[in-house]
């Protein structure tokens, strides 16, 4: 099986119009993995990196930690559109 890279996913929670929580983001990632996705570029809107007092880098790290704790076999990358 070949790796599948998703190059555009709004999965970092509470940053823009994607996942609304860590739990929702984990569910989205589980579905992606079940369909063969191995790598995800977390491409939030560039203007929203600090929307509503949320910091993209800190929230991305929380998501990465949650993915590791949940043992979801996916690699996350920071990105923006």
């Amino acid at each position: 099986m070949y790796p599948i890279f998703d190059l555009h996913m709004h999965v970092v929670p509470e940053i823009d119009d994607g996942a609304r929580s860590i739990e929702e983001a984990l569910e989205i990632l589980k579905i992606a993995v079940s369909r063969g996705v191995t790598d995800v570029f977390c491409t939030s809107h560039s203007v929203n990196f600090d929307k509503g007092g949320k910091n993209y880098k800190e929230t991305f790290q929380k998501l990465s930690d949650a993915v590791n704790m949940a043992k979801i076999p996916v690699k996350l990358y920071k990105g923006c559109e």
Side-chain angles (χ1 to χ4, degrees):
M1 180 179 199
Y2 295 101
I4 298 174
F5 288 71
D6 187 319
L7 300 177
H8 184 98
M9 188 182 290
H10 293 252
V11 73
V12 178
E14 300 180 22
I15 296 295
D16 51 27
D17 56 357
R20 293 174 292 223
S21 67
I22 291 281
E23 295 77 22
E24 184 177 34
L26 293 177
E27 287 303 313
I28 291 167
L29 291 168
K30 286 177 188 175
I31 292 167
V33 167
S34 76
R35 295 186 175 151
V37 173
T38 58
D39 298 73
V40 171
F41 285 81
C42 302
T43 52
S44 298
H45 300 293
S46 61
V47 296
N48 291 331
F49 271 28
D50 284 320
K51 182 181 179 185
K54 299 289 182 186
N55 182 283
Y56 176 84
K57 290 179 184 177
E58 289 174 9
T59 308
F60 175 89
Q61 188 58 54
K62 287 178 186 176
L63 176 60
S64 294
D65 293 344
V67 165
N68 289 333
M69 288 187 70
K71 297 184 177 168
I72 300 171
V74 67
K75 175 88 171 125
L76 302 179
Y77 302 89
K78 292 181 191 119
C80 71
E81 66 172 85

